[in-house]
PDB file of all heavy atoms in Angstrom:
ATOM      1  N   GLU A 121      -7.870  -1.411   2.408  1.00  0.00           N
ATOM      2  CA  GLU A 121      -6.593  -1.952   1.941  1.00  0.00           C
ATOM      3  C   GLU A 121      -6.852  -2.948   0.826  1.00  0.00           C
ATOM      4  O   GLU A 121      -7.823  -2.886   0.090  1.00  0.00           O
ATOM      5  CB  GLU A 121      -5.694  -2.402   3.017  1.00  0.00           C
ATOM      6  CG  GLU A 121      -5.424  -1.248   4.027  1.00  0.00           C
ATOM      7  CD  GLU A 121      -4.112  -1.280   4.661  1.00  0.00           C
ATOM      8  OE1 GLU A 121      -3.616  -2.309   4.884  1.00  0.00           O
ATOM      9  OE2 GLU A 121      -3.567  -0.227   4.876  1.00  0.00           O
ATOM     10  N   CYS A 122      -6.205  -4.157   0.875  1.00  0.00           N
ATOM     11  CA  CYS A 122      -6.366  -5.044  -0.182  1.00  0.00           C
ATOM     12  C   CYS A 122      -7.198  -6.222   0.248  1.00  0.00           C
ATOM     13  O   CYS A 122      -7.057  -7.353  -0.332  1.00  0.00           O
ATOM     14  CB  CYS A 122      -4.992  -5.504  -0.665  1.00  0.00           C
ATOM     15  SG  CYS A 122      -4.000  -6.198   0.663  1.00  0.00           S
ATOM     16  N   GLY A 144      -5.892   2.040  -0.496  1.00  0.00           N
ATOM     17  CA  GLY A 144      -4.609   1.362  -0.775  1.00  0.00           C
ATOM     18  C   GLY A 144      -4.437   1.447  -2.272  1.00  0.00           C
ATOM     19  O   GLY A 144      -5.388   1.792  -3.045  1.00  0.00           O
ATOM     20  N   VAL A 145      -3.278   1.225  -2.733  1.00  0.00           N
ATOM     21  CA  VAL A 145      -2.921   1.444  -4.080  1.00  0.00           C
ATOM     22  C   VAL A 145      -3.152   0.186  -4.990  1.00  0.00           C
ATOM     23  O   VAL A 145      -3.743   0.302  -6.045  1.00  0.00           O
ATOM     24  CB  VAL A 145      -1.576   2.093  -4.360  1.00  0.00           C
ATOM     25  CG1 VAL A 145      -0.425   1.035  -4.018  1.00  0.00           C
ATOM     26  CG2 VAL A 145      -1.419   2.664  -5.757  1.00  0.00           C
ATOM     27  N   GLY A 146      -2.834  -0.930  -4.406  1.00  0.00           N
ATOM     28  CA  GLY A 146      -2.861  -2.084  -5.203  1.00  0.00           C
ATOM     29  C   GLY A 146      -4.364  -2.562  -5.310  1.00  0.00           C
ATOM     30  O   GLY A 146      -5.024  -2.640  -4.322  1.00  0.00           O
ATOM     31  N   VAL A 169      -0.281   6.374   0.140  1.00  0.00           N
ATOM     32  CA  VAL A 169       0.548   5.208   0.509  1.00  0.00           C
ATOM     33  C   VAL A 169       2.085   5.404   0.284  1.00  0.00           C
ATOM     34  O   VAL A 169       2.890   4.710   0.711  1.00  0.00           O
ATOM     35  CB  VAL A 169       0.073   3.951  -0.159  1.00  0.00           C
ATOM     36  CG1 VAL A 169      -1.395   3.663   0.075  1.00  0.00           C
ATOM     37  CG2 VAL A 169       0.341   4.002  -1.706  1.00  0.00           C
ATOM     38  N   ARG A 307       3.834  -7.124  -3.918  1.00  0.00           N
ATOM     39  CA  ARG A 307       2.822  -8.159  -3.754  1.00  0.00           C
ATOM     40  C   ARG A 307       3.620  -9.458  -3.714  1.00  0.00           C
ATOM     41  O   ARG A 307       4.558  -9.716  -4.492  1.00  0.00           O
ATOM     42  CB  ARG A 307       1.773  -8.217  -4.746  1.00  0.00           C
ATOM     43  CG  ARG A 307       0.806  -7.130  -4.639  1.00  0.00           C
ATOM     44  CD  ARG A 307      -0.185  -7.257  -3.397  1.00  0.00           C
ATOM     45  NE  ARG A 307      -1.218  -6.210  -3.378  1.00  0.00           N
ATOM     46  CZ  ARG A 307      -1.090  -5.032  -2.675  1.00  0.00           C
ATOM     47  NH1 ARG A 307       0.052  -4.791  -2.028  1.00  0.00           N
ATOM     48  NH2 ARG A 307      -2.079  -4.206  -2.647  1.00  0.00           N
ATOM     49  N   HIS A 355       2.646  -7.453   5.887  1.00  0.00           N
ATOM     50  CA  HIS A 355       1.955  -6.528   5.065  1.00  0.00           C
ATOM     51  C   HIS A 355       1.698  -5.257   5.859  1.00  0.00           C
ATOM     52  O   HIS A 355       0.444  -4.868   6.061  1.00  0.00           O
ATOM     53  CB  HIS A 355       0.822  -7.057   4.402  1.00  0.00           C
ATOM     54  CG  HIS A 355       0.437  -6.366   3.138  1.00  0.00           C
ATOM     55  ND1 HIS A 355      -0.097  -6.969   2.081  1.00  0.00           N
ATOM     56  CD2 HIS A 355       0.505  -5.060   2.727  1.00  0.00           C
ATOM     57  CE1 HIS A 355      -0.450  -6.077   1.131  1.00  0.00           C
ATOM     58  NE2 HIS A 355       0.011  -4.850   1.496  1.00  0.00           N
ATOM     59  N   THR A 358       1.731   0.152   5.034  1.00  0.00           N
ATOM     60  CA  THR A 358       0.916   1.444   5.196  1.00  0.00           C
ATOM     61  C   THR A 358       0.219   1.377   6.568  1.00  0.00           C
ATOM     62  O   THR A 358      -0.646   2.158   6.865  1.00  0.00           O
ATOM     63  CB  THR A 358      -0.151   1.495   4.208  1.00  0.00           C
ATOM     64  OG1 THR A 358      -0.939   0.316   4.071  1.00  0.00           O
ATOM     65  CG2 THR A 358       0.471   1.881   2.761  1.00  0.00           C
TER      66      THR A 358
HETATM   67  O1  DGY B   1      -1.753  -1.638  -1.945  1.00  0.00           O
HETATM   68  C1  DGY B   1      -1.430  -0.872  -1.039  1.00  0.00           C
HETATM   69  O2  DGY B   1      -1.492   0.334  -1.036  1.00  0.00           O
HETATM   70  C2  DGY B   1      -0.813  -1.490   0.203  1.00  0.00           C
HETATM   71  O3  DGY B   1      -0.431  -2.788   0.014  1.00  0.00           O
HETATM   72  C3  DGY B   1      -1.958  -1.407   1.207  1.00  0.00           C
HETATM   73  O4  DGY B   1      -2.319  -2.521   1.729  1.00  0.00           O
END
Side-chain angles (χ1 to χ4, degrees):
E121 303 212 329
C122 53
V145 70
V169 304
R307 287 292 184 265
H355 201 147
T358 52

